[in-house]
Amino acid sequence: MFRRPVALALFAFSFLTTSVPGWAETSRAVRDVIEEVVVTARKREENIQETPLAVTALSGEDLRDAGIDNVQDLSKSVPSLQINKGQGNQIYIRGIGERTGFVRVDPTVGVYLDGLFLPRADGQLLDTVDVDSLQVLRGPQGTLFGKNTTGGALVLTLAKPHEEFEGYVEAGLGSYDTRKLRAGVNLPVTDRFFTRVAFNAVYNEGYMKDVGDDARSNSEEGISALFQTRWDASDTLTVENLLFFGDSSGVMTNTNCNITRDDALFVDGLALLWAGDTDASQGRAFRENCESNSREQQGDLTADKGPNPMLEQDFQSVLFGSTATWELTENYLLKAILGVRRAEEGPIQTADNDGGPMDYNEAYNNEPSIRKSYSLELQLNGSALNNRLNFTTGLFAAAERNTETFTLLTNLIGLDATSLSQLASGQNPTRPASPLGTTPVVGALTGDPLLQSDFELDNATYAAFLQASYDLTEALQLTLGVRYTQEVRKSGLTVIGTDLNDLTTRLQAADPRYVPLTPPGPLAALSGGQTKGLYTFAGSWLEDPVGIASNVFRDQDGDGIPDYKMDWANTSRFDADETFSQVTPMLSLSYVFDEYQLENTPFEALTTYFTYSDGFKSGFSEPRGVEGLARIEPEEVANLELGFKMDLLDRRMRLNIATYNMDYRNMQLVTVSNDSAGNLIVVFTNAGEATIRGSEMELSWLPFAGAVVSLNYSNNNYFYSEFEDTDLKELALRGNAVPVDRSGEPFPAAPEESASLGLQMTFPTDIGLITPRLDISYKGDVFFGLDATSAEVYRDDERNAGANEYVLVDLRLTWMNDAGDWRVTAYGTNILDKRYINSTVAVTDSIGTFNQGYGDPRVYGVDVTWSF
């Protein structure tokens, strides 16, 4: 599938390059060699080709040329990087990422802005306005970027205030009523004090229609502002400050739904009946609800999630950073980095598990979530022994306070009395043979109709680190590093269930035919004889008794959640205080070949390296419904990596290759379980052992002046060596914790294979420079399952719980005048209008649904930039 677009692109490129006579002679104004790239991946400035780790570096110009407006766009062109944006931001490097966005869980990919660690995934998909460079560090960075970076790190560096007055204004219009405006200006105040201001505003109406509330989802409206200062207090002391403010809103990704498994617990596995079911012999409402929102029934880019799907997103954040750099001597530099951040996210639906317009099974953050963080890093960089020894050492401390309210809606459910008797006696319940059944039983059959969990989390991090590189010879360098990290996690959890007395009062007042269940015979074993919240219905299944009862508690206050009263008088409180610590070492050997060794070879420069590195991601306390908090162990990784970096063909070609083996212990994975009250809960667990073996390739080539070819490829083979889960059906039916071996499953949410091809040419003309650009990106198959049987249905047919491979094609055409102060770019992304799934989850054991979110369709637009 990938070969045809690549072949066409290469043919078009070869045709153009052979059809422009005298090209090399007329285009010397544009670059004809690959320039040296300086990175700070080891917290000091180095040539990327001599840095012994896998890193992709993009300048602000590179980002602009490729049309990368935010970090999410990097997913198309950086090897092993996958960024999904659904109800939570998900960043994966080499198959490792955090899937849920819960504040109790740290991201596995660290994001740093001017040296400041951004602790929450909600603020990581930054726009790239006023970014000077962006680096993607792949693999664990456990020494210098040691805050939970078992997957890798994204390092963003802003354009800094300087001595010249300059600025830019960029405006754009595009499909789906896209409007954007960016501006920035550098304002020197004195010869020692400089300021810089940047502004970004964006709006689009979204491309996914929602027929339930006659609106659109995937929409965006946001504004952000950045103010920076630089004060050269003396010849040796510089103080840099930044203040960032962001306010975004919009409607998050909507999804379509399909049923993946008939015997899932909520479909047919427990013989349950839902609002809308009037035939006891064949419950159809749950299935029909999901399938009514399938792509087959709704049509392309259309969904139905009901009148109030609670997908409106409201997020504000403020970040202050201050960096003081003191040149102690010619060889020693002391740096202090202070960060303060506050963010607030409004109420939002985190999962619509039933997948359709009905409120059968949902999850919400139904109160604002407050996130506050503080960090301080002291860093000493130095060199000694005639610059043969270079080192970075320091201390890091951070504190974070988060609140989060998570509410699970199961609503009222029905079960025929005969099926309930089977369930109570430990049998697999079956549906009655007759549509009339026997006696309808309605109520809280799978836990509380509404269960709320209030979190308070206080995290503290303390670390000391040292990394030193020593030139054993002029060509051979040894690097040793070590970091000690201590994480203190204090968690408070308050669990509030539904007020069942109020439920009984309101239900009987609406319809006296609902009578609290008094279990005879086998039913006495049900929930230990506790049947509060269960009611027999003195009527027939033909009357839809579940629907009548559910209608009593329908959402009337407009907050999107059925109006059950919470039992605040009988809350459960749980507290945990856990400490996790780890030492993460690294060792690297690199060899830089000199020009004499490379004589009579195609290489202009060649570096090879071997690295061993450890990574660590903190453990935490995990809520288990009414059971309280459970300890999740830290995630650990050991990485072996071999790399080659080379410049060839008179420095017109650059080729970097890395191959690696990463062994994980106690990988933190999300799955589905239930508590002792029957509540279905999404929980984290530790997979014992896992391995990733892969390779990456990055190629840049300037075949002639003005032409740029980039080709990237990655292949990651993921597998679990040890992953034991619990059979959910056995747990739900009989309370037995029967182990299930999940070691044969694929990793979720990230493809094993990805590739990209970029072709860009610059034509000097009488009216300025014309630059067409073509980008083709490929992503392999992706598994999106959450539980054990999702892998089974995925193996039968990938469409049941995953996404097929896809290719996206983007085009850009840029004109820039001879003075370089005006630029106009016309672009088209996904010009073939390919439908591809990029934000989704399949839950097969319990709810039996596969919710699929689709990426951007074809989008056109024009951007105009004036620089001064």
Side-chain angles (χ1 to χ4, degrees), residues 408-488:
L408 177 67
L409 170 73
T410 306
N411 224 323
L412 298 178
I413 306 175
L415 199 62
D416 191 80
T418 57
S419 305
L420 187 59
S421 296
Q422 295 171 327
L423 179 64
S425 59
Q427 304 176 51
N428 290 347
T430 59
R431 298 190 186 278
S434 168
L436 296 176
T438 56
T439 302
V441 178
V442 177
L445 283 158
T446 56
D448 283 60
L450 200 64
L451 184 71
Q452 179 172 313
S453 299
D454 290 344
F455 292 95
E456 298 172 3
L457 300 105
D458 289 282
N459 305 333
T461 303
Y462 310 97
F465 57 90
L466 169 65
Q467 184 167 302
S469 299
Y470 181 71
D471 295 335
L472 300 173
T473 69
E474 290 186 0
L476 183 64
Q477 184 183 83
L478 171 67
T479 301
L480 296 173
V482 64
R483 187 183 189 102
Y484 172 76
T485 304
Q486 184 180 85
E487 299 274 0
V488 179

Side-chain angles (χ1 to χ4, degrees), residues 1-2 82 84 95 714-716 718 746-755 778-785 794-795 797-799 801-807 834 836-838 840:
M1 186 173 182
F2 184 49
Q82 178 69 21
N84 304 325
S714 61
N715 189 301
N716 293 283
Y718 320 124
F747 276 26
E752 289 195 347
E753 191 175 29
S754 64
Y778 166 80
K779 296 290 185 181
D781 299 333
V782 182
F783 171 60
F784 282 110
Y794 178 73
R795 281 189 285 266
D797 187 339
E798 292 175 349
R799 294 171 297 180
N804 291 330
E805 61 180 1
Y806 62 88
V807 173
K834 176 70 176 179
Y836 60 100
I837 297 172
N838 74 339
T840 182

Side-chain angles (χ1 to χ4, degrees), residues 79 89 118 140 211 250 299 317 350 353 356 361 399 414 421 503 530 590 845 863:
N89 300 327
L118 306 183
V211 300
S317 63
T350 59
N353 298 320
N361 188 262
S421 296
L503 189 150
Q530 300 298 316
S590 62
D845 280 338
D863 294 334

Side-chain angles (χ1 to χ4, degrees), residues 583-810:
V583 175
T584 49
M586 70 84 62
L587 177 149
S588 180
L589 272 174
S590 62
Y591 190 88
V592 180
F593 289 80
D594 63 37
E595 58 183 11
Y596 300 106
Q597 294 171 305
L598 298 178
E599 283 186 358
N600 302 317
T601 72
F603 303 107
E604 302 298 327
L606 175 62
T607 300
T608 183
Y609 67 89
F610 172 79
T611 297
Y612 169 84
S613 58
D614 277 358
F616 165 77
K617 176 185 173 185
S618 177
F620 56 95
S621 296
E622 170 69 5
R624 301 268 180 179
V626 299
E627 318 296 348
L629 294 165
R631 178 183 169 103
I632 300 298
E633 295 298 328
E635 180 176 289
E636 303 172 22
V637 58
N639 176 49
L640 294 173
E641 182 167 317
L642 177 65
F644 301 89
K645 298 186 174 187
M646 58 199 83
D647 288 348
L648 309 96
L649 306 179
D650 296 325
R651 296 192 184 274
R652 291 186 292 109
M653 178 179 287
R654 177 164 292 167
L655 176 62
N656 294 342
I657 298 172
T659 182
Y660 40 85
N661 183 95
M662 297 191 293
D663 290 322
Y664 282 81
R665 292 181 60 247
N666 293 321
M667 182 179 285
Q668 296 169 1
L669 297 174
V670 63
T671 186
V672 180
S673 185
N674 67 343
D675 62 16
S676 59
N679 296 297
L680 191 69
I681 50 177
V682 175
V683 297
F684 273 83
T685 188
N686 290 114
E689 297 180 1
T691 298
I692 301 173
R693 293 173 182 158
S695 57
E696 298 158 345
M697 181 270 289
E698 293 182 282
L699 172 70
S700 297
W701 177 36
L702 308 181
F704 49 83
V708 180
V709 179
S710 60
L711 178 64
N712 300 317
Y713 176 79
S714 61
N715 189 301
N716 293 283
N717 297 301
Y718 320 124
F719 59 92
Y720 301 107
S721 305
E722 180 184 321
F723 182 14
E724 186 176 284
D725 202 359
T726 302
D727 187 310
L728 185 60
K729 192 168 186 177
E730 278 294 319
L731 192 64
L733 289 174
R734 285 170 280 276
N736 298 329
V738 177
V740 174
D741 182 10
R742 298 180 59 179
S743 59
E745 290 186 14
F747 276 26
E752 289 195 347
E753 191 175 29
S754 64
S756 66
L757 172 67
L759 306 175
Q760 178 176 304
M761 292 172 287
T762 300
F763 297 85
T765 71
D766 293 339
I767 61 171
L769 295 178
I770 305 294
T771 304
R773 181 182 177 96
L774 169 67
D775 286 286
I776 300 174
S777 59
Y778 166 80
K779 296 290 185 181
D781 299 333
V782 182
F783 171 60
F784 282 110
L786 198 65
D787 51 9
T789 55
S790 292
E792 296 178 18
V793 301
Y794 178 73
R795 281 189 285 266
D796 293 338
D797 187 339
E798 292 175 349
R799 294 171 297 180
N800 287 333
N804 291 330
E805 61 180 1
Y806 62 88
V807 173
L808 300 180
V809 180
D810 300 341

Side-chain angles (χ1 to χ4, degrees), residues 65-88:
D65 287 345
I68 296 175
D69 289 332
N70 57 64
V71 174
Q72 185 181 6
D73 297 332
L74 290 170
S75 189
K76 292 182 179 180
S77 57
V78 175
S80 297
L81 177 66
Q82 178 69 21
I83 300 178
N84 304 325
K85 188 176 182 182
Q87 268 74 4

Side-chain angles (χ1 to χ4, degrees), residues 122 221 246-252 310-317 343-348 367-369 371:
D122 50 51
E221 183 173 1
D247 188 347
S248 63
S249 59
V251 182
M252 298 188 71
M310 269 193 74
L311 293 176
E312 292 81 5
Q313 183 186 32
D314 186 16
F315 185 81
Q316 297 90 33
S317 63
E344 179 175 338
E345 183 175 41
I348 195 167
E367 297 289 341
S369 177
R371 299 98 187 261

Side-chain angles (χ1 to χ4, degrees), residues 192-437:
R192 287 188 174 272
F193 187 74
F194 317 101
T195 65
R196 190 176 183 93
V197 181
F199 165 86
N200 182 51
V202 63
Y203 169 84
N204 70 76
E205 68 176 4
Y207 57 83
M208 191 87 172
K209 298 177 183 176
D210 191 331
V211 300
D213 62 354
D214 192 27
R216 286 181 178 268
S217 61
N218 307 79
S219 64
E220 180 183 10
E221 183 173 1
I223 185 171
S224 60
L226 177 68
F227 177 65
Q228 296 184 80
T229 66
R230 178 185 133 204
W231 176 39
D232 293 338
S234 68
D235 292 341
T236 59
L237 177 63
T238 298
V239 179
E240 296 173 307
N241 296 317
L242 72 87
L243 179 64
F244 172 85
F245 168 78
D247 188 347
S248 63
S249 59
V251 182
M252 298 188 71
T253 300
N254 215 331
T255 57
N256 295 124
C257 182
N258 289 103
I259 294 292
T260 61
R261 194 178 182 96
D262 291 335
D263 63 349
L265 297 181
F266 281 16
V267 182
D268 285 325
L270 290 177
L272 299 174
L273 295 159
W274 300 81
D277 274 324
T278 57
D279 183 344
S281 66
Q282 48 178 332
R284 293 191 296 261
F286 190 90
R287 174 190 297 276
E288 290 175 352
N289 174 63
C290 165
E291 293 177 344
S292 72
N293 187 34
S294 66
R295 188 164 182 257
E296 292 74 16
Q297 290 200 30
Q298 287 296 331
D300 186 35
L301 299 180
T302 305
D304 182 4
K305 288 296 187 70
N308 189 356
M310 269 193 74
L311 293 176
E312 292 81 5
Q313 183 186 32
D314 186 16
F315 185 81
Q316 297 90 33
S317 63
V318 178
L319 171 68
F320 171 76
S322 183
T323 301
T325 304
W326 186 17
E327 189 176 339
L328 301 175
T329 69
E330 182 179 354
N331 293 327
Y332 294 93
L333 193 71
L334 181 64
K335 184 179 290 188
I337 306 171
L338 171 69
V340 179
R341 182 173 183 262
R342 185 187 189 279
E344 179 175 338
E345 183 175 41
I348 195 167
Q349 182 190 85
T350 59
D352 182 6
N353 298 320
D354 59 69
M358 299 297 291
D359 292 328
Y360 289 151
N361 188 262
E362 325 275 333
Y364 315 92
N365 292 133
N366 57 307
E367 297 289 341
S369 177
I370 309 297
R371 299 98 187 261
K372 300 177 182 178
S373 62
Y374 313 88
S375 64
L376 177 64
E377 180 171 338
L378 298 177
Q379 185 186 123
L380 177 65
N381 293 277
S383 62
L385 304 178
N386 294 322
N387 293 323
R388 294 183 66 180
L389 175 67
N390 294 277
F391 66 88
T392 298
T393 186
L395 302 171
F396 175 81
E400 186 181 9
R401 180 172 178 79
N402 300 314
T403 65
E404 185 174 65
T405 297
F406 182 78
T407 298
L408 177 67
L409 170 73
T410 306
N411 224 323
L412 298 178
I413 306 175
L415 199 62
D416 191 80
T418 57
S419 305
L420 187 59
S421 296
Q422 295 171 327
L423 179 64
S425 59
Q427 304 176 51
N428 290 347
T430 59
R431 298 190 186 278
S434 168
L436 296 176

